[in-house]
Amino acid sequence: MTTSVPAVPETAAAAAQAAGRRRRIALAVVLTAAFMDLVDATIVNIAIPSIQRDTGATFSAVQWVTAGYALAFALGLITGGRLGDIHGRKKLFLLGMGGFTLASALCGFAAGPGMLVGARVLQGAMAALMVPQVLAIIHVTFPAHERGKVFGMFGAVIGLGAVCGPLIGALLTEGDLFGLEWRPIFLINLPVGIAGILLGRRFLAESRAPRALRVDLIGTALATAGLLMLLYPLTQGRESGWPLWGFVSMAASPLVLAVFVRYERAKARKDGSPLVELPLFKIRTFAAGAGVQLTFGVVSGLFFLVWTLHMQLGLGWGPLHAGLTGVPFSLACSAAAGVSVQRLVPRFGRKVLQAGALIMLSGALVYLWEAGRYGTALESWQLVPAMLLMGAGMGLIVAPITDTVISEVPAEHSGSASGIFNTTGQLGMALGLGLSSVAFFGVVGDTGQPGGAGTGAGAADALRASFVDATAHALWWVCGGLVLVFGLLFLLPRRMRAQEAAERAEPAAPEGGAGPEQRQPALVS
């Protein structure tokens, strides 16, 4: 008589192997979503001249194509994170990815500038539902001992997206696939998004927060209204002749935002679920850091738009030429970011960030000097020193800024602080794009509008020269912003507390999807 013993070890091993396979596929899905978001934030600027020629878009429409995405993304980040906590991260992730894919199709088939702007706003709103779930899904999917490696992969994907976005956009635009010109930069999201939805439905696990904060719809509406009352007339005002209603709207914007602040205080007392935790701004380090993040976002938004238009409309380069010119910037930024977090900041503290601001300022001044000296004859290789300096300077700031600022925030509020901090950066970028009306397009004038430069070689030369002059003017604004960033950095702690650094060695999944590996700005656009 024999007794059969079940092969328990083999069954357990097979189950573990299957679970590991599900986790890897789930990770690939959420990392692809993060990659799609960052690429779409960086891919558009390189195609703006093609979009303007094909659709007849005005300068204000061009600004809204980029600023609309950033503004919708910023305003929806915290709400998107809370909706995932309440209704399920998987559900909101798939809803966001589906909406993002649909919005990408609408962008690709847009019949005119108005439809394109509307589709971009929808795309940013859907990204705000999708992106905040990424870190939360990673947290509930992987055991603690595997998260360090996984978050390292997440950071690598963020860097890869920053480098690849402009190059993908340049290749697709210059390739003119099927005669579609710029449209493939959006249509490429369709097969990726559909595959992500199908795989996500099967392999992602559902999760919710045990004690989720409520959604603050009234607060979101007040913040949106206040910001639009500032950004809309700032963007449209120049083309409308700076009408009186624009100044009235901008003057009333702070009043609406003041109402928002009062409502947030009342909301906190009522149910403890305000959109923004205002007491965080009583922490000097956090308030100063938010100022740095906002100002740096303004500088980034303005610079990347100006840089792209200078290369293509001022210097007459094609999209691929412009995209390749930005490679030294991206490589320098990625290298400096890695070194700053791992080696420099633990040793030198905030001095690293201040050095980054000064290095970036020196790069902007070199760029300014070269633009003035060479004019429309500027060559790619002559821009390399400026690109390396600006890229390295940005890398020294964007990588360690979140941990440095949040180091004095109580641990129980770190998630909310990270969400607010990331939102502040995105709002800064939208504001910088709005300011380009004054800092850049106001110098170009009406000659840069479709059909506004006349015809002939003389008109084309005048148009290119106007873009070069506008670039120089805008670069002075960039320099002023970097000087302000340098000054604000003195308000940050000299060194990050060792204990806080240890606590944040493993990133949390905060509100708004921002963590130590926060969603970086458009590094090359």
mmCIF file of all heavy atoms in Angstrom, residues 8 21 51 67 120 272 286 423 438 452 509:
data_model
loop_
_atom_site.group_PDB
_atom_site.id
_atom_site.type_symbol
_atom_site.label_atom_id
_atom_site.label_comp_id
_atom_site.label_asym_id
_atom_site.label_seq_id
_atom_site.Cartn_x
_atom_site.Cartn_y
_atom_site.Cartn_z
ATOM 1 N N VAL A 8 3.352 19.793 -3.018
ATOM 2 C CA VAL A 8 3.057 21.146 -2.529
ATOM 3 C C VAL A 8 4.137 22.143 -2.919
ATOM 4 O O VAL A 8 3.832 23.239 -3.376
ATOM 5 C CB VAL A 8 2.852 21.109 -0.996
ATOM 6 C CG1 VAL A 8 2.651 22.516 -0.458
ATOM 7 C CG2 VAL A 8 1.665 20.235 -0.660
ATOM 8 N N ARG A 21 4.836 36.866 -12.672
ATOM 9 C CA ARG A 21 4.567 37.233 -14.061
ATOM 10 C C ARG A 21 3.475 38.292 -14.134
ATOM 11 O O ARG A 21 3.575 39.264 -14.891
ATOM 12 C CB ARG A 21 4.150 35.989 -14.848
ATOM 13 C CG ARG A 21 3.793 36.268 -16.308
ATOM 14 C CD ARG A 21 3.573 34.960 -17.050
ATOM 15 N NE ARG A 21 3.036 35.189 -18.388
ATOM 16 C CZ ARG A 21 1.731 35.245 -18.672
ATOM 17 N NH1 ARG A 21 0.840 35.071 -17.690
ATOM 18 N NH2 ARG A 21 1.324 35.469 -19.902
ATOM 19 N N ILE A 51 2.018 72.337 -36.918
ATOM 20 C CA ILE A 51 0.603 72.514 -36.560
ATOM 21 C C ILE A 51 0.108 73.881 -37.011
ATOM 22 O O ILE A 51 -0.990 74.020 -37.567
ATOM 23 C CB ILE A 51 0.420 72.348 -35.038
ATOM 24 C CG1 ILE A 51 0.688 70.900 -34.626
ATOM 25 C CG2 ILE A 51 -0.977 72.773 -34.613
ATOM 26 C CD1 ILE A 51 0.701 70.683 -33.124
ATOM 27 N N ALA A 67 -0.376 74.892 -23.061
ATOM 28 C CA ALA A 67 -0.791 75.300 -21.720
ATOM 29 C C ALA A 67 -2.081 74.603 -21.297
ATOM 30 O O ALA A 67 -2.270 74.332 -20.105
ATOM 31 C CB ALA A 67 -0.978 76.818 -21.665
ATOM 32 N N ARG A 120 -6.750 68.671 -26.392
ATOM 33 C CA ARG A 120 -5.576 68.693 -25.522
ATOM 34 C C ARG A 120 -5.973 68.899 -24.058
ATOM 35 O O ARG A 120 -5.390 68.300 -23.145
ATOM 36 C CB ARG A 120 -4.618 69.796 -25.970
ATOM 37 C CG ARG A 120 -3.797 69.418 -27.173
ATOM 38 C CD ARG A 120 -2.708 68.423 -26.816
ATOM 39 N NE ARG A 120 -1.629 69.040 -26.065
ATOM 40 C CZ ARG A 120 -0.620 68.380 -25.517
ATOM 41 N NH1 ARG A 120 -0.578 67.061 -25.601
ATOM 42 N NH2 ARG A 120 0.335 69.000 -24.867
ATOM 43 N N GLY A 272 -12.338 67.829 7.012
ATOM 44 C CA GLY A 272 -10.928 67.465 6.915
ATOM 45 C C GLY A 272 -10.482 67.008 5.554
ATOM 46 O O GLY A 272 -9.452 66.340 5.435
ATOM 47 N N PHE A 286 8.477 74.501 3.216
ATOM 48 C CA PHE A 286 7.525 74.084 2.187
ATOM 49 C C PHE A 286 7.039 75.284 1.390
ATOM 50 O O PHE A 286 6.925 75.219 0.162
ATOM 51 C CB PHE A 286 6.338 73.362 2.825
ATOM 52 C CG PHE A 286 5.346 72.859 1.819
ATOM 53 C CD1 PHE A 286 5.575 71.685 1.121
ATOM 54 C CD2 PHE A 286 4.189 73.575 1.541
ATOM 55 C CE1 PHE A 286 4.667 71.232 0.172
ATOM 56 C CE2 PHE A 286 3.271 73.129 0.602
ATOM 57 C CZ PHE A 286 3.515 71.951 -0.095
ATOM 58 N N THR A 423 1.645 69.719 -8.322
ATOM 59 C CA THR A 423 0.635 70.565 -8.940
ATOM 60 C C THR A 423 1.165 71.980 -9.144
ATOM 61 O O THR A 423 0.932 72.610 -10.178
ATOM 62 C CB THR A 423 -0.633 70.600 -8.066
ATOM 63 O OG1 THR A 423 -1.173 69.280 -7.984
ATOM 64 C CG2 THR A 423 -1.674 71.536 -8.633
ATOM 65 N N VAL A 438 3.574 88.004 -23.692
ATOM 66 C CA VAL A 438 4.253 89.270 -23.445
ATOM 67 C C VAL A 438 5.747 89.151 -23.726
ATOM 68 O O VAL A 438 6.343 89.998 -24.399
ATOM 69 C CB VAL A 438 4.028 89.717 -21.983
ATOM 70 C CG1 VAL A 438 4.753 91.024 -21.708
ATOM 71 C CG2 VAL A 438 2.539 89.847 -21.706
ATOM 72 N N GLY A 452 0.768 86.648 -42.186
ATOM 73 C CA GLY A 452 1.062 87.997 -41.726
ATOM 74 C C GLY A 452 2.420 88.515 -42.112
ATOM 75 O O GLY A 452 2.748 89.660 -41.838
ATOM 76 N N ALA A 509 3.121 56.678 -2.047
ATOM 77 C CA ALA A 509 2.219 56.924 -3.166
ATOM 78 C C ALA A 509 1.286 58.053 -2.776
ATOM 79 O O ALA A 509 0.229 57.831 -2.209
ATOM 80 C CB ALA A 509 1.413 55.668 -3.496
#
